[in-house]
């Protein structure tokens, strides 16, 4: 199975900050990388697919980058509704695997 | 838009079978560019993909190795839904279970997700 490693596991930041979350795959997955946001008590929601394509309705302050084994998710200016958990997921091969998540908290 | 509505019990006794159903609206379970997944989430395991079913001239299933001896995912075209059965459950199967559509094509992604069902395995 492909292992997905996210960092950091938690992050404290303020409204207006720029933050970056990274995700590393244990082997090359080219651009088969998706990002999801999850709020407490809710199901994950797709933010970015194919490493850098923004899902419809997702604000442009979210940016995905990377290919091969190294990927990142950047939020350019944090808004109150962005404080949540974020997960990466590879769709290169089955079984689909996820990162362990990054919890973004208000400082 | 596509919506997934989950149903099934939230409490299952050890050694029994966990059964959940996911009703699809706005799409077809027989779609040639979708796969229908079950994923669970727990504090100890994180997000864990369990398996999927999809139709490409005939039905296919993929299952996670960790549960492949205990899991069955079936599609019901007459009701436009799919189901999960997990046999011989233990407390380690306690988790929130999600049904999820996977859009397939050149790139694949998981969207949307069902609302989630907390399943507790306890006597």
């Amino acid at each position: 199975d492909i292992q997905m490693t996210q960092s950091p596991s938690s992050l404290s930041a303020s409204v207006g900050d720029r933050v970056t979350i990274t995700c590393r795959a244990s082997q090359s997955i080219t651009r088969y990388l998706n990002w999801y946001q999850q709020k407490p008590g809710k199901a994950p929601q797709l933010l970015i697919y194919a490493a850098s394509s923004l899902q419809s309705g997702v604000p442009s302050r979210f940016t995905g980058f990377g290919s091969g084994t190294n990927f990142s998710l950047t939020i350019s200016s944090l808004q109150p509704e962005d404080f949540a958990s974020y997960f990466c997921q590879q769709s290169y091969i089955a079984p689909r695997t996820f990162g362990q998540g990054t919890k973004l908290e208000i400082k | 838009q596509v919506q997934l509505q989950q149903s099934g019990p939230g409490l299952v006794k050890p050694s029994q079978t966990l059964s959940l159903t996911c009703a699809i609206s706005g799409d077809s379970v027989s779609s040639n560019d979708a796969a229908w997944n079950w994923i669970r989430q727990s504090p100890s395991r994180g997000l864990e993909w369990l398996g999927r079913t999809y139709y490409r001239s005939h039905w296919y299933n993929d299952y996670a190795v960790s549960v492949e001896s205990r899991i069955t995912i079936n599609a019901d075209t007459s009701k436009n839904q799919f189901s999960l059965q997990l046999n011989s459950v233990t407390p380690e199967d306690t988790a929130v279970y999600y049904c999820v559509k996977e859009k397939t094509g050149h790139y694949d992604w998981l969207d949307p997700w069902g609302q989630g069902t907390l399943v507790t395995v306890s006597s």
Side-chain angles (χ1 to χ4, degrees), chain B residues 16-36:
Chain B
Q16 295 194 342
T17 297
L18 180 162
S19 296
L20 296 173
T21 299
C22 185
I24 302 164
S25 58
D27 204 341
S28 170
V29 72
S30 304
S31 171
N32 277 305
D33 64 354
W36 305 94

Side-chain angles (χ1 to χ4, degrees), chain B residues 19-119:
Chain B
S19 296
L20 296 173
T21 299
C22 185
I24 302 164
S25 58
D27 204 341
S28 170
V29 72
S30 304
S31 171
N32 277 305
D33 64 354
W36 305 94
N37 294 252
W38 287 98
I39 292 168
R40 67 183 178 184
Q41 184 175 30
S42 63
S44 58
R45 295 172 179 253
L47 285 162
E48 181 184 14
W49 176 84
L50 298 176
R52 63 182 180 174
T53 190
Y54 56 99
Y55 185 77
R56 303 289 186 269
S57 300
H58 64 265
W59 288 98
Y60 293 87
N61 287 291
D62 297 321
Y63 297 132
V65 169
S66 60
V67 296
E68 66 179 349
S69 64
R70 302 192 289 132
I71 189 172
T72 303
I73 297 176
N74 283 323
D76 183 340
T77 57
S78 66
K79 296 181 178 178
N80 202 33
Q81 64 186 31
F82 63 110
S83 63
L84 167 70
Q85 285 196 307
L86 188 65
N87 302 325
S88 306
V89 296
T90 71
E92 287 66 45
D93 294 310
T94 294
V96 177
Y97 286 74
Y98 295 101
C99 62
V100 192
K101 175 188 173 181
E102 182 175 25
K103 176 73 170 69
T104 60
H106 183 62
Y107 290 101
D108 305 337
W109 57 84
L110 296 164
D111 179 70
W113 296 56
Q115 80 274 23
T117 301
L118 173 59
V119 178

Side-chain angles (χ1 to χ4, degrees), chain A residues 47-104:
Chain A
L47 288 177
I48 287 172
Y49 61 93
S52 62
S53 295
L54 208 60
Q55 169 69 341
S56 175
V58 174
S60 59
R61 62 181 180 272
F62 290 90
T63 304
F65 184 79
S67 66
T69 61
N70 293 307
F71 302 87
S72 63
L73 172 69
T74 296
I75 310 172
S76 60
S77 178
L78 278 171
Q79 298 302 300
E81 60 269 28
D82 300 337
F83 292 93
S85 294
Y86 294 85
F87 297 90
C88 60
Q89 175 245 334
Q90 64 82 16
S91 61
Y92 185 68
I93 57 171
R96 305 319 198 195
T97 48
F98 295 84
Q100 80 278 16
T102 296
K103 187 173 184 180
L104 181 52

